[in-house]
Amino acid sequence: MKLKYRTAVIITPYVFALAATSHAKTFFVVPDSGTIQAAIDEAAASPGADTVLLRPGTYIESIEIEDEDALTLRGTNVTIESVDDDTDVIKINGGDVTILNVTITGGDDGIDANGNIEDENNSLTLVNVDILENDDRGIEADEVYSVNIKNSKY
């Protein structure tokens, strides 16, 4: 019996998603054509571990992540700048979140992560992340089960 694999392409006005045979999806965001928040919201509604890939550029928005599954936010030559200096750039409310290869700047806190200290699936991992020029803190992690930081500045 020969198995067939199919790939589905879902196209929305702002976010492109590719799905294979697993539930995990990859969402692509392009500056000036979509928002990171829209991709994160779609990922949160999708079962399984998802990835949001950011195309190079500057994104001016404040982001809130609430996803019970694992979420990876990955960029190359990407800056995420808060809409104003009174708002956190990235606010995380639980979940297993990994952020790779981005610069986070211009907010109150660069990253404000909150969670349940007893939940092993409540972690924050930062790799090659520069958290610069925020008013209060680079990172605030309250009740997060684990925080892993590698090759990052804050």
Side-chain angles (χ1 to χ4, degrees):
M1 177 179 198
K2 201 175 204 183
L3 295 176
K4 291 184 179 179
Y5 295 94
R6 294 183 180 215
T7 301
V9 177
I10 301 166
I11 300 176
T12 66
Y14 301 107
V15 180
F16 300 96
L18 294 177
T21 54
S22 71
H23 291 289
K25 292 183 180 176
T26 299
F27 299 86
F28 297 90
V29 184
V30 179
D32 301 325
S33 295
T35 66
I36 300 168
Q37 188 65 59
I40 288 170
D41 292 346
E42 286 193 44
S46 169
D50 297 311
T51 299
V52 174
L53 288 178
L54 307 174
R55 298 296 186 211
T58 299
Y59 298 81
I60 300 175
E61 60 180 297
S62 296
I63 301 162
E64 187 164 347
I65 299 172
E66 284 192 56
D67 194 339
E68 293 179 12
D69 300 316
L71 177 73
T72 298
L73 186 64
R74 178 189 306 261
T76 302
N77 297 319
V78 168
T79 298
I80 304 171
E81 184 176 331
S82 179
V83 294
D84 63 60
D85 60 3
D86 292 326
T87 305
D88 299 331
V89 183
I90 300 177
K91 184 163 186 64
I92 302 169
N93 297 308
D96 182 10
V97 177
T98 300
I99 302 173
L100 306 161
N101 307 319
V102 300
T103 298
I104 298 168
T105 188
D108 186 36
D109 290 341
I111 297 175
D112 182 5
N114 299 286
N116 178 353
I117 194 80
E118 297 175 9
D119 183 359
E120 291 181 19
N121 295 317
N122 177 28
S123 65
L124 173 62
T125 301
L126 305 175
V127 180
N128 298 323
V129 176
D130 292 338
I131 305 172
L132 310 169
E133 299 177 12
N134 294 286
D135 281 350
D136 199 7
R137 298 175 197 90
I139 303 169
E140 180 178 358
D142 186 32
E143 302 259 338
V144 176
Y145 185 79
S146 70
V147 176
N148 305 293
I149 302 171
K150 182 177 179 184
N151 297 332
S152 298
K153 299 175 195 170
Y154 56 97

